[in-house]
mmCIF file of all heavy atoms in Angstrom:
data_model
loop_
_atom_site.group_PDB
_atom_site.id
_atom_site.type_symbol
_atom_site.label_atom_id
_atom_site.label_comp_id
_atom_site.label_asym_id
_atom_site.label_seq_id
_atom_site.Cartn_x
_atom_site.Cartn_y
_atom_site.Cartn_z
ATOM 1 N N TYR A 46 112.147 62.346 69.129
ATOM 2 C CA TYR A 46 111.918 61.254 70.077
ATOM 3 C C TYR A 46 111.412 59.989 69.392
ATOM 4 O O TYR A 46 111.869 58.888 69.681
ATOM 5 C CB TYR A 46 110.929 61.693 71.172
ATOM 6 C CG TYR A 46 111.015 60.789 72.377
ATOM 7 C CD1 TYR A 46 111.837 61.112 73.449
ATOM 8 C CD2 TYR A 46 110.310 59.591 72.429
ATOM 9 C CE1 TYR A 46 111.962 60.262 74.540
ATOM 10 C CE2 TYR A 46 110.425 58.739 73.503
ATOM 11 C CZ TYR A 46 111.245 59.087 74.561
ATOM 12 O OH TYR A 46 111.379 58.239 75.629
ATOM 13 N N VAL A 49 114.556 58.416 67.617
ATOM 14 C CA VAL A 49 115.667 57.821 68.375
ATOM 15 C C VAL A 49 115.310 57.404 69.801
ATOM 16 O O VAL A 49 116.170 56.936 70.535
ATOM 17 C CB VAL A 49 116.907 58.744 68.453
ATOM 18 C CG1 VAL A 49 117.825 58.531 67.303
ATOM 19 C CG2 VAL A 49 116.522 60.180 68.560
ATOM 20 N N THR A 50 114.062 57.598 70.181
ATOM 21 C CA THR A 50 113.568 57.298 71.534
ATOM 22 C C THR A 50 114.415 57.932 72.636
ATOM 23 O O THR A 50 114.669 57.328 73.671
ATOM 24 C CB THR A 50 113.435 55.775 71.803
ATOM 25 O OG1 THR A 50 114.704 55.145 71.571
ATOM 26 C CG2 THR A 50 112.389 55.162 70.923
ATOM 27 N N ARG A 51 114.852 59.124 72.366
ATOM 28 C CA ARG A 51 115.378 59.965 73.433
ATOM 29 C C ARG A 51 115.198 61.407 73.007
ATOM 30 O O ARG A 51 114.979 61.697 71.837
ATOM 31 C CB ARG A 51 116.832 59.645 73.771
ATOM 32 C CG ARG A 51 117.782 59.635 72.572
ATOM 33 C CD ARG A 51 119.191 59.445 73.017
ATOM 34 N NE ARG A 51 119.647 60.626 73.737
ATOM 35 C CZ ARG A 51 120.655 60.631 74.596
ATOM 36 N NH1 ARG A 51 121.291 59.545 74.874
ATOM 37 N NH2 ARG A 51 121.033 61.756 75.185
ATOM 38 N N ASP A 58 112.518 61.092 80.881
ATOM 39 C CA ASP A 58 111.322 60.933 80.061
ATOM 40 C C ASP A 58 110.066 61.516 80.710
ATOM 41 O O ASP A 58 109.176 61.979 80.014
ATOM 42 C CB ASP A 58 111.093 59.443 79.759
ATOM 43 C CG ASP A 58 112.070 58.922 78.712
ATOM 44 O OD1 ASP A 58 112.520 59.723 77.877
ATOM 45 O OD2 ASP A 58 112.385 57.729 78.741
ATOM 46 N N LEU A 61 108.637 64.820 79.716
ATOM 47 C CA LEU A 61 107.964 64.950 78.421
ATOM 48 C C LEU A 61 106.455 64.767 78.524
ATOM 49 O O LEU A 61 105.705 65.149 77.631
ATOM 50 C CB LEU A 61 108.540 63.920 77.437
ATOM 51 C CG LEU A 61 110.057 63.954 77.258
ATOM 52 C CD1 LEU A 61 110.530 62.789 76.409
ATOM 53 C CD2 LEU A 61 110.476 65.275 76.614
ATOM 54 N N PHE A 69 102.605 59.678 78.014
ATOM 55 C CA PHE A 69 102.558 60.259 76.671
ATOM 56 C C PHE A 69 102.592 59.141 75.639
ATOM 57 O O PHE A 69 103.016 58.017 75.924
ATOM 58 C CB PHE A 69 103.671 61.289 76.432
ATOM 59 C CG PHE A 69 105.050 60.736 76.219
ATOM 60 C CD1 PHE A 69 105.414 60.108 75.032
ATOM 61 C CD2 PHE A 69 106.025 60.875 77.210
ATOM 62 C CE1 PHE A 69 106.696 59.612 74.838
ATOM 63 C CE2 PHE A 69 107.314 60.365 77.022
ATOM 64 C CZ PHE A 69 107.641 59.732 75.838
ATOM 65 N N GLN A 85 105.080 53.133 67.304
ATOM 66 C CA GLN A 85 104.340 53.625 68.457
ATOM 67 C C GLN A 85 105.288 53.652 69.638
ATOM 68 O O GLN A 85 105.982 52.678 69.895
ATOM 69 C CB GLN A 85 103.170 52.698 68.785
ATOM 70 C CG GLN A 85 102.121 52.678 67.704
ATOM 71 C CD GLN A 85 100.896 51.880 68.127
ATOM 72 O OE1 GLN A 85 100.636 51.692 69.311
ATOM 73 N NE2 GLN A 85 100.165 51.393 67.151
ATOM 74 N N VAL A 86 105.306 54.768 70.323
ATOM 75 C CA VAL A 86 106.149 54.884 71.504
ATOM 76 C C VAL A 86 105.258 55.369 72.638
ATOM 77 O O VAL A 86 104.567 56.382 72.503
ATOM 78 C CB VAL A 86 107.276 55.913 71.274
ATOM 79 C CG1 VAL A 86 108.116 56.057 72.529
ATOM 80 C CG2 VAL A 86 108.151 55.506 70.102
ATOM 81 N N SER A 87 105.242 54.637 73.744
ATOM 82 C CA SER A 87 104.442 55.118 74.859
ATOM 83 C C SER A 87 105.232 55.028 76.153
ATOM 84 O O SER A 87 106.060 54.135 76.346
ATOM 85 C CB SER A 87 103.142 54.321 74.982
ATOM 86 O OG SER A 87 103.418 52.947 74.995
ATOM 87 N N TYR A 88 104.994 55.989 76.980
ATOM 88 C CA TYR A 88 105.714 56.044 78.251
ATOM 89 C C TYR A 88 104.768 56.444 79.379
ATOM 90 O O TYR A 88 104.042 57.429 79.289
ATOM 91 C CB TYR A 88 106.863 57.049 78.171
ATOM 92 C CG TYR A 88 107.592 57.182 79.481
ATOM 93 C CD1 TYR A 88 108.457 56.188 79.905
ATOM 94 C CD2 TYR A 88 107.375 58.283 80.311
ATOM 95 C CE1 TYR A 88 109.099 56.281 81.126
ATOM 96 C CE2 TYR A 88 108.019 58.385 81.519
ATOM 97 C CZ TYR A 88 108.885 57.383 81.926
ATOM 98 O OH TYR A 88 109.507 57.475 83.130
ATOM 99 N N GLU A 89 104.810 55.663 80.406
ATOM 100 C CA GLU A 89 104.002 55.928 81.582
ATOM 101 C C GLU A 89 104.973 56.094 82.735
ATOM 102 O O GLU A 89 105.947 55.351 82.814
ATOM 103 C CB GLU A 89 103.106 54.715 81.841
ATOM 104 C CG GLU A 89 101.881 55.023 82.616
ATOM 105 C CD GLU A 89 100.992 53.774 82.683
ATOM 106 O OE1 GLU A 89 101.136 52.897 81.801
ATOM 107 O OE2 GLU A 89 100.191 53.675 83.606
ATOM 108 N N ALA A 91 107.227 55.844 85.791
ATOM 109 C CA ALA A 91 107.699 54.704 86.590
ATOM 110 C C ALA A 91 107.557 53.359 85.887
ATOM 111 O O ALA A 91 107.662 52.323 86.519
ATOM 112 C CB ALA A 91 106.992 54.657 87.946
ATOM 113 N N SER A 92 107.315 53.370 84.594
ATOM 114 C CA SER A 92 107.399 52.077 83.914
ATOM 115 C C SER A 92 108.308 52.200 82.688
ATOM 116 O O SER A 92 108.773 53.282 82.352
ATOM 117 C CB SER A 92 106.020 51.553 83.538
ATOM 118 O OG SER A 92 105.329 52.514 82.796
ATOM 119 N N GLN A 93 108.562 51.080 82.046
ATOM 120 C CA GLN A 93 109.469 51.052 80.904
ATOM 121 C C GLN A 93 108.844 51.744 79.694
ATOM 122 O O GLN A 93 107.636 51.683 79.504
ATOM 123 C CB GLN A 93 109.728 49.597 80.523
ATOM 124 C CG GLN A 93 110.539 48.827 81.530
ATOM 125 C CD GLN A 93 112.015 48.971 81.250
ATOM 126 O OE1 GLN A 93 112.415 49.032 80.104
ATOM 127 N NE2 GLN A 93 112.817 49.051 82.299
ATOM 128 N N LEU A 94 109.726 52.316 78.884
ATOM 129 C CA LEU A 94 109.266 52.848 77.611
ATOM 130 C C LEU A 94 108.858 51.672 76.720
ATOM 131 O O LEU A 94 109.539 50.654 76.684
ATOM 132 C CB LEU A 94 110.434 53.590 76.962
ATOM 133 C CG LEU A 94 110.166 54.318 75.675
ATOM 134 C CD1 LEU A 94 109.383 55.582 75.937
ATOM 135 C CD2 LEU A 94 111.495 54.662 74.997
ATOM 136 N N LYS A 95 107.745 51.838 76.030
ATOM 137 C CA LYS A 95 107.315 50.751 75.152
ATOM 138 C C LYS A 95 107.421 51.205 73.700
ATOM 139 O O LYS A 95 106.904 52.258 73.330
ATOM 140 C CB LYS A 95 105.861 50.396 75.496
ATOM 141 C CG LYS A 95 105.537 48.952 75.199
ATOM 142 C CD LYS A 95 104.191 48.568 75.773
ATOM 143 C CE LYS A 95 103.539 47.599 74.814
ATOM 144 N NZ LYS A 95 102.107 47.516 74.957
ATOM 145 N N ILE A 96 108.118 50.404 72.893
ATOM 146 C CA ILE A 96 108.325 50.779 71.491
ATOM 147 C C ILE A 96 107.844 49.655 70.585
ATOM 148 O O ILE A 96 108.255 48.508 70.740
ATOM 149 C CB ILE A 96 109.824 50.987 71.191
ATOM 150 C CG1 ILE A 96 110.452 51.951 72.201
ATOM 151 C CG2 ILE A 96 110.025 51.518 69.777
ATOM 152 C CD1 ILE A 96 111.959 51.865 72.228
ATOM 153 N N LEU A 97 106.995 50.006 69.653
ATOM 154 C CA LEU A 97 106.549 49.023 68.665
ATOM 155 C C LEU A 97 106.917 49.510 67.265
ATOM 156 O O LEU A 97 106.681 50.665 66.925
ATOM 157 C CB LEU A 97 105.027 48.855 68.714
ATOM 158 C CG LEU A 97 104.395 48.319 70.000
ATOM 159 C CD1 LEU A 97 102.872 48.301 69.873
ATOM 160 C CD2 LEU A 97 104.897 46.909 70.292
ATOM 161 N N GLN A 102 107.516 44.512 69.281
ATOM 162 C CA GLN A 102 108.123 45.264 70.366
ATOM 163 C C GLN A 102 109.646 45.214 70.246
ATOM 164 O O GLN A 102 110.210 44.157 69.971
ATOM 165 C CB GLN A 102 107.702 44.655 71.699
ATOM 166 C CG GLN A 102 108.063 45.566 72.841
ATOM 167 C CD GLN A 102 107.131 45.379 74.032
ATOM 168 O OE1 GLN A 102 106.068 44.772 73.909
ATOM 169 N NE2 GLN A 102 107.525 45.893 75.171
ATOM 170 N N ILE A 103 110.294 46.351 70.420
ATOM 171 C CA ILE A 103 111.758 46.332 70.337
ATOM 172 C C ILE A 103 112.379 47.114 71.491
ATOM 173 O O ILE A 103 111.728 47.885 72.180
ATOM 174 C CB ILE A 103 112.304 46.880 68.994
ATOM 175 C CG1 ILE A 103 112.029 48.381 68.891
ATOM 176 C CG2 ILE A 103 111.767 46.135 67.803
ATOM 177 C CD1 ILE A 103 113.171 49.058 68.211
ATOM 178 N N ASN A 104 113.664 46.897 71.637
ATOM 179 C CA ASN A 104 114.432 47.496 72.716
ATOM 180 C C ASN A 104 114.837 48.927 72.363
ATOM 181 O O ASN A 104 115.119 49.243 71.223
ATOM 182 C CB ASN A 104 115.680 46.598 72.880
ATOM 183 C CG ASN A 104 116.616 47.103 73.917
ATOM 184 O OD1 ASN A 104 117.155 48.198 73.822
ATOM 185 N ND2 ASN A 104 116.808 46.282 74.915
ATOM 186 N N ARG A 105 114.872 49.762 73.385
ATOM 187 C CA ARG A 105 115.187 51.162 73.175
ATOM 188 C C ARG A 105 116.536 51.397 72.493
ATOM 189 O O ARG A 105 116.672 52.241 71.627
ATOM 190 C CB ARG A 105 115.161 51.799 74.542
ATOM 191 C CG ARG A 105 115.618 53.189 74.629
ATOM 192 C CD ARG A 105 115.526 53.614 76.081
ATOM 193 N NE ARG A 105 115.393 55.030 76.140
ATOM 194 C CZ ARG A 105 114.568 55.657 76.944
ATOM 195 N NH1 ARG A 105 113.781 55.001 77.735
ATOM 196 N NH2 ARG A 105 114.519 56.947 76.935
ATOM 197 N N HIS A 108 116.949 50.692 68.907
ATOM 198 C CA HIS A 108 116.223 51.672 68.123
ATOM 199 C C HIS A 108 117.114 52.805 67.622
ATOM 200 O O HIS A 108 116.817 53.438 66.614
ATOM 201 C CB HIS A 108 115.113 52.240 69.008
ATOM 202 C CG HIS A 108 114.074 53.021 68.278
ATOM 203 N ND1 HIS A 108 113.107 52.421 67.528
ATOM 204 C CD2 HIS A 108 113.852 54.349 68.175
ATOM 205 C CE1 HIS A 108 112.326 53.347 67.004
ATOM 206 N NE2 HIS A 108 112.766 54.522 67.377
#
Side-chain angles (χ1 to χ4, degrees):
Y46 198 94
V49 271
T50 56
R51 52 175 291 158
D58 285 332
L61 306 173
F69 75 74
Q85 294 187 23
V86 178
S87 51
Y88 177 75
E89 204 174 337
S92 54
Q93 291 272 324
L94 184 74
K95 208 170 144 201
I96 308 162
L97 297 177
Q102 192 152 345
I103 68 143
N104 178 299
R105 172 181 205 137
H108 194 76

